[in-house]
Amino acid sequence: MVRRGRTSIVREVKEALDAIDRIGHSKKLAREKGEHAIHSIKQKKNTMSDAQNFAKWVRAEHGIKSLSDLEEKHYQKYMAHLNEKGLSNGHMRNVETSLRLLQEGFKKRAERFGGAIERFKEFCPEKRTVSYKISENIQNRAYTVQEIDAIRQNCSSEVQKAVDLMYGLGLRVKEAANVLASHFYEDKNGWHLQINKGTGITKGGRFREVTVSNEFKVRLVSLLHEKAPNEKLIKVSTTTIRDGINMACKKAGVEQAGRGTHGFRHAYARKRAEQLMTSIEHNMLERILSNREVGRKADYSINSEKDKLLFASTRDKMNIIHSELGHGANRWELAMRYLKN
C-alpha cells in the first residue's frame, strides 16, 4: 500500500483559502454572520499570492513545513522582513489582511478534517502591526471636464462609449465593458441601471443600482439604440479600453498621475456631490473628513441638534454616492479619496 506523504505548506495554503471561498455569495450576509471570507476572484488571487509568499518565506527561513507549526513570532518576523524591504504601509496592511484570511481558512479546513482542529492554533496577533493612516496617499484623482473632453477626442468610438459610461454612471472599467442593455430600464421617474446578478460584471458580483441623471439620459438612449437585451453596450475589452485611454491621454497631453480609468469614477463622484449636497452639507463633509483625517470619530465635536441633523443629511447623501459607485455605507475613508477637496 502506498502512503500519501504529508501535504506541503504551499498546498495547505491553497486548501485553506479554498475553504473560505465564497465567491458569488453575499458579502453583506457573511458580515452579518461574522464570517471572514473571500468574495471575489481578484481578492482570492491577491490573497493567494500574499499567503504563499509568506508560506515559502517561513519554510525557507525557519523550516516551517505546515501551517500548524506557525506561531505569532513567525508572523511578526515576516512583517519586519517586509518593512526592511521598504514596502508601503498600504501594501503591508494588505498582506496582514491576507494572513488573517489564511488563518481563518486554516481554521475552517481543520474543522472539516475533524481531528485536525486539535492542531489548529492562531498565528496572527490580536492587533495589526501596521498602523492605519486614513490620509495616506490622499489626492484628487478626478479628471476635469476639460480633460475628459480632450481624452474623448483622441479615443475610438468604442472607447468613447466606455468613458461616457464611467463618467456618466460611475462604472468601473470592467463594468462598462460588460454591462448589458437589459440592465437598463425606464419608468415614470426616468432611466435606471440595475444589475441584480453581477457575477463577471460588478466587483465581487455585487448588486448595483444607479439612477441615470437627466444630463446623461440622451447619451444612454443612443448607446442602447438597436441593442438586444443580452447585448453589451461596448464591443471592446477592458484591456482595449485601458490602452485606448492611455494613448488618448498621451496624445492630448493629459497627465494621468496614477488616475487611469478610475479617474472618471472620481469625477462622477464629485459631480454627484455637487448635484446632491447643499453648500452647508459640503462644509459639514469637510468637517467630518478633517476629523477622520486625524483619527477622530466622524461626529467629533458635532453636538448641537442642528449640527446632528446636518451630519445625518450629509452622511445620507454621501451614502447615495457610495451606493451608486458600488461601495458600502458609511465609508468615510472612501469619501476621503473620492470627495475631499
Side-chain angles (χ1 to χ4, degrees), residues 171-206:
L171 300 185
R172 297 178 177 88
V173 62
K174 180 182 177 182
E175 294 164 346
N178 291 286
V179 70
L180 305 176
S182 60
H183 291 136
F184 295 90
Y185 71 93
E186 186 181 20
D187 62 17
K188 63 180 182 180
N189 296 315
W191 279 92
H192 308 269
L193 164 69
Q194 188 176 83
I195 304 175
N196 293 313
K197 296 180 180 179
T199 303
I201 303 172
T202 61
K203 186 175 182 179
R206 300 170 195 153

Side-chain angles (χ1 to χ4, degrees), residues 16 109 124 137 144 154 176 189 219 282 305 319 335:
R109 176 181 176 272
C124 295
N137 297 323
T144 66
N154 288 278
N189 296 315
R219 177 56 170 156
H282 274 291
E305 287 304 313
N319 283 335

Side-chain angles (χ1 to χ4, degrees), residues 75 92-94 96-97 100 125-131:
Y75 177 106
M92 291 178 63
R93 281 200 305 271
N94 290 340
E96 288 201 289
T97 298
R100 276 162 162 66
E126 184 177 348
K127 293 184 178 180
R128 290 173 177 258
T129 64
V130 183
S131 61

Side-chain angles (χ1 to χ4, degrees), residues 233-264:
L233 269 61
I234 300 176
K235 298 179 181 178
V236 294
S237 68
T238 56
T239 299
T240 299
I241 295 168
R242 287 195 177 99
D243 290 346
I245 289 169
N246 183 48
M247 184 60 67
C249 285
K250 291 178 179 178
K251 290 180 179 178
V254 174
E255 179 61 45
Q256 285 187 286
R259 293 181 287 181
T261 57
H262 240 53
F264 301 108

Side-chain angles (χ1 to χ4, degrees), residues 104-165:
E104 182 69 17
F106 180 44
K107 182 179 181 181
K108 291 292 183 185
R109 176 181 176 272
E111 290 171 349
R112 289 182 182 179
F113 283 95
I117 192 63
E118 298 175 0
R119 295 193 298 120
F120 169 78
K121 60 179 181 293
E122 295 186 349
F123 57 85
C124 295
E126 184 177 348
K127 293 184 178 180
R128 290 173 177 258
T129 64
V130 183
S131 61
Y132 179 71
K133 297 178 182 178
I134 195 169
S135 60
E136 190 175 277
N137 297 323
I138 297 298
Q139 58 179 321
N140 182 352
R141 294 177 62 189
Y143 291 113
T144 66
V145 173
Q146 293 76 19
E147 286 175 327
I148 294 172
D149 287 342
I151 292 169
R152 289 187 82 262
Q153 291 173 17
N154 288 278
C155 289
S156 68
S157 61
E158 291 300 310
V159 176
Q160 282 180 2
K161 293 176 184 178
V163 169
D164 293 343
L165 288 170

Side-chain angles (χ1 to χ4, degrees), residues 9-28:
I9 188 171
V10 174
R11 178 67 184 178
E12 284 182 337
V13 166
K14 183 181 184 305
E15 292 176 352
L17 297 185
D18 284 344
I20 55 170
D21 184 330
R22 298 292 182 273
I23 296 173
H25 296 264
S26 170
K27 189 174 183 179
K28 181 180 179 181

